[in-house]
Amino acid sequence: MKEITDKVTGKVKEQVENVSGSFTQFMSAGRGLYFKLSETGTKQFAELVKVGESKRDAGETLVNHLRESLQEIDPKSSANQIKLAALGLLNKTLENSERFFSELVKCGEKQTHPDTSEACTDKNSKKKMSTKAA
């Protein structure tokens, strides 16, 4: 009986450790995502502001641009393009999700323990992340 109890206790302990490790990774990934979005979001926002200001200064209005864009839309080909884009997005997401999750975990760990893991803000990482997001 003690043998069975020890075996069950060992399996339960192993499962608890696995869940705890997964939770820790998930939290690190969340921290990594927050810091990456903070770093890139501010830069992208500034770029969007510049584009908006340049369009405004050139006399282009959003309403006129939308009106022109809507007149150019072919509903049948647009629906097909949206469907293909959605399928492409799904495939890309599935291909890159595990790798991206691992990078987020590393970045989150770096923020928690800066001296024990590789940097997530070096030029190469930023370049990789910007190409993945595109």
Side-chain angles (χ1 to χ4, degrees):
M1 183 69 168
K2 181 169 174 27
E3 211 175 277
I4 293 172
T5 304
D6 289 344
K7 188 175 182 180
V8 170
T9 302
K11 287 193 180 234
V12 169
K13 184 178 179 182
E14 181 182 328
Q15 288 177 347
V16 168
E17 288 171 355
N18 287 340
V19 168
S20 177
S22 295
F23 182 74
T24 301
Q25 278 190 321
F26 180 75
M27 293 303 295
S28 291
R31 279 190 298 275
L33 178 61
Y34 171 79
F35 286 109
K36 283 202 176 282
L37 287 176
S38 295
E39 293 166 2
T40 58
T42 303
K43 181 180 176 184
Q44 289 174 346
F45 181 77
E47 290 173 4
L48 290 172
V49 169
K50 286 180 185 177
V51 169
E53 289 172 344
S54 71
K55 295 295 183 180
R56 179 197 63 209
D57 294 345
E60 296 182 40
T61 65
L62 182 60
V63 173
N64 288 339
H65 183 70
L66 289 173
R67 187 178 298 128
E68 290 170 9
S69 295
L70 290 173
Q71 290 173 353
E72 296 172 5
I73 293 176
D74 173 24
K76 190 173 183 177
S77 68
S78 294
N80 190 43
Q81 286 180 330
I82 290 170
K83 181 180 86 173
L84 293 173
L87 288 172
L89 176 61
L90 178 62
N91 285 329
K92 278 280 195 194
T93 301
L94 292 174
E95 289 171 4
N96 294 321
S97 63
E98 187 173 327
R99 181 177 40 226
F100 185 66
F101 181 79
S102 296
E103 289 178 16
L104 290 175
V105 168
K106 287 178 185 177
C107 186
E109 289 171 346
K110 191 256 181 214
Q111 297 298 325
T112 305
H113 308 288
D115 57 323
T116 59
S117 57
E118 64 186 56
C120 66
T121 58
D122 63 42
K123 274 188 172 178
N124 293 333
S125 293
K126 282 185 182 176
K127 186 175 182 180
K128 287 178 190 174
M129 291 305 297
S130 67
T131 57
K132 284 181 187 173

